[in-house]
Every structure is written in C-alpha cells, then in structure tokens.
Amino acid sequence: MNSKIKVFSGTKSRYLAEKICENLGCEMGNLTITYFADGEFEVCYEESIRGCDVFLIQSTFPSADNLMELLLMVDAAKRASARTINAIVPYYGWARQDRKSKPRVSIAAKLVANMLSLAGINRIMTMDLHADQEQGFFEVPVDHLFASTILLPYIKQTNLKNLCIATPDVGGTKRASTYAKYLDCPMVICNKTRQRANEVASMEVIGDVKGMDVVLVDDMVDTAGTITKAADLIKSMGANSVRALASHCIMSGPADERVSNSQLEEIVFTDSIPYQGNCKKIKQLSVGPLFAETIRRVLNNESISSQYII
C-alpha cells in the first residue's frame, strides 16, 4: 500500500477495520478517543495525516455516539490537512427515516448525510442502504455496495433442492425478485400490516410454498418480529425448510429469543454490525474483503462494477 494511505477506525467498528487492513496489507492508523466525565469525547490522530488519503471506518448504528465519533474523526482529519477524507460506513444508521411518512416528522437519513458532508467527507462507501435513492442525499460520490456479493455464494453452496426466495414485506420485493432471477427460482411475498413501529399486526403469504426450501431475504433485522412471523407462517403452510439472509444484524430487544424460538433453521448476516448475542441460529459473513478490494480500486481509479454480482 502507498505510504500516503491511512486507515483509521471508530471504537465499535475496529473488528471490521482490522479485517479490511489485513486484506489491504496495511497497518491501522493510531487514533485515540479521550472521554470526559460527562460523556463528551475528543478525537485525536496520533500521527501525521497531512496530504494523505484517509479512510475512516465506522458504522453508525445506535447509540448516537458512533455517528458523533465519525463526525469528529472527519472534522479532525480536515483540520489536520488530509488530502481526501473517505467515510467507510458499512451500516448507514438512521436510514429508515428517509421520507415524511406522516406530518411533522424529521428525515434523519438526509440530515445525517448533510452532517457528514458539512464535516468534510470527499466520498462515502456504504452497503445496502434502506432505499437506493438515499444515495441522492449526498453531494459527494457514493459507492453503494451490495451484501448479495457475500450472501448469494453462501446460499448457492447450500444446494437446496427446491429453493424459493421470499420477502418478509412488500417493500423488499425488488430485492427478492433480483435474488430469485439470479438463482432461477420462484418467489413469494409476505404482506404485513403494522399497528406501530416494530410491531406486526397481521401477515399473509402470496404464493405457494408447499414442499419448498424457502429463503427469506431482507436488508436488516431489528427486533426480528417480521422475519420470525413470516418464517413461522411459511412453515405452517407446508414449506420444507425456512432460513433467512439479511445484510445488517441489528438484533435488538427480544430478537435473539424470537429467532431461537422460531421455525428459522438459520439466519445469515454480514458483519457490518457486530453481533453481541448468543443465538446459535445466527451466522455472520465478513464484508472485510469486499470493502478492502473496493478501497483498492478507488485508490487506483479502477472500475468497481465487477464487485457487484447483481
């Protein structure tokens, strides 16, 4: 790696930054975060980054401290005269708030994009935004990678005989359809209604799943209410097996218990977010090599199109 390249990590994404650095063949930069008694913190680069291409690795999952860390890392890099500042955000938090779904609400996904741009980023690299059009919230180049590059090879090697792709809600139809076309298999849709956030009121399956090995595909799993309800319903309709693929492993609240008690045989995530639970049905695949290769191509001004399977 060029000596003018510097890779740094926020607190909660260090595990992934280490994998990225290993694949890039470089050492992680030295950065310290000092905490004050009231919870405030200060970011400091312990080496010169003047004239360097700086890559800052930090997913912005809760708590908000992760986002604030990234913003301070960007600001400190700008004030230390970095040549370019590149934010590597495998999981872009707040992305579910991408529109006014009812009167008098914020659009947090746009606000966070504004804050990162104002802080001073020159580029952002992320994966599986909640909605593809959120790329337009940024005024800098966006490299939007897809977890399908990691997840599709995994599902292909399972050699399921009667494979069927399913989406746990209508909003994921495009993603599921793309998977189904690539794998040349049928697709079914789960249609749900909600009473409130994170609570499913009712659900129905559109399509035939009898005797099928069903794979549910989603972008994230939070409380696991939707995906486990879909799995149980599909199994009750005669499916041979049910498993799930999802990009981001949020897994908050009762998620572990719900997955453990559900009809899901397994649920496979990427490691864009660290998993802290102990559910034996959960497996994570690393996106370290994917991001490392994309960083290398960006540095060498090479096309990243070959990074996408679909």
Side-chain angles (χ1 to χ4, degrees):
M1 292 291 296
N2 190 307
S3 61
K4 289 292 186 179
I5 306 306
K6 300 284 187 178
V7 179
F8 298 92
S9 172
T11 304
K12 295 297 179 67
S13 293
R14 190 174 180 85
Y15 71 99
L16 183 55
E18 290 172 349
K19 296 175 184 177
I20 291 174
C21 286
E22 181 181 350
N23 281 274
L24 283 174
C26 68
E27 293 185 0
M28 196 184 311
N30 188 12
L31 175 148
T32 59
I33 300 177
T34 304
Y35 289 85
F36 299 94
D38 63 352
E40 183 181 327
F41 49 86
E42 176 187 72
V43 168
C44 179
Y45 294 97
E46 300 294 343
E47 59 189 89
S48 174
I49 57 174
R50 183 178 295 273
C52 294
D53 293 306
V54 174
F55 291 84
L56 307 176
I57 301 168
Q58 178 80 317
S59 285
T60 55
F61 53 91
S63 69
D65 281 1
N66 293 315
L67 172 59
M68 193 63 190
E69 268 190 19
L70 179 58
L71 290 168
L72 293 180
M73 289 161 66
V74 173
D75 184 69
K78 180 176 68 174
R79 297 177 188 281
S81 301
R83 190 172 80 93
T84 63
I85 304 169
N86 306 273
I88 312 299
V89 187
Y91 172 68
Y92 181 69
W94 314 92
R96 283 174 283 187
Q97 300 179 55
D98 60 352
R99 66 196 184 283
K100 287 189 70 173
S101 57
K102 57 185 178 182
R104 300 177 297 280
V105 296
S106 63
I107 304 179
K110 172 60 174 170
L111 175 62
V112 172
N114 287 346
M115 289 193 293
L116 287 168
S117 297
L118 183 62
I121 64 170
N122 299 106
R123 172 184 295 272
I124 184 168
M125 192 179 297
T126 187
M127 183 180 72
D128 277 4
L129 291 167
H130 191 60
D132 289 347
Q133 58 268 28
E134 289 177 27
Q135 297 173 66
F137 290 173
F138 293 89
E139 299 301 327
V140 298
V142 179
D143 296 312
H144 186 212
L145 306 181
F146 298 122
S148 56
T149 308
I150 306 295
L151 299 176
L152 275 171
Y154 177 83
I155 203 63
K156 286 186 73 174
Q157 60 92 24
T158 59
N159 295 317
L160 296 171
K161 293 183 179 180
N162 298 305
L163 179 62
C164 176
I165 296 297
T167 174
D169 56 48
V170 175
T173 302
K174 179 182 176 183
R175 180 183 300 102
S177 176
T178 305
Y179 274 64
K181 287 179 181 178
Y182 179 82
L183 296 167
D184 192 23
C185 67
M187 182 189 84
V188 299
I189 299 171
C190 297
N191 183 36
K192 69 179 180 184
T193 58
R194 289 190 187 273
Q195 287 183 332
R196 58 186 65 89
N198 294 127
E199 185 175 325
V200 179
S202 64
M203 181 177 288
E204 60 182 354
V205 176
I206 304 171
D208 185 15
V209 295
K210 189 174 183 179
M212 306 297 287
D213 294 300
V214 179
V215 178
L216 287 154
V217 178
D218 210 349
D219 64 329
M220 65 178 70
V221 176
D222 190 351
T223 61
T226 298
I227 207 157
T228 54
K229 192 176 185 70
D232 293 346
L233 182 57
I234 288 170
K235 187 69 173 180
S236 72
M237 295 178 66
N240 182 49
S241 67
V242 188
R243 47 180 46 83
L245 305 176
S247 307
H248 307 299
C249 181
I250 301 176
M251 294 297 288
S252 56
D256 275 359
E257 183 180 357
R258 285 175 173 173
V259 171
S260 296
N261 296 332
S262 73
Q263 293 293 328
L264 284 167
E265 294 197 4
E266 66 175 353
I267 180 165
V268 181
F269 295 99
T270 73
D271 61 351
S272 61
I273 298 175
Y275 175 58
Q276 307 293 341
N278 55 9
C279 178
K280 295 181 180 180
K281 292 185 178 182
I282 289 177
K283 180 175 184 177
Q284 284 191 297
L285 307 177
S286 182
V287 293
L290 174 64
F291 276 93
E293 178 60 19
T294 306
I295 289 171
R296 188 191 68 77
R297 288 169 182 260
V298 167
L299 287 169
N300 294 326
N301 296 312
E302 298 175 5
S303 170
I304 66 170
S305 298
S306 62
Q307 292 291 88
Y308 304 99
I309 292 181
I310 54 176

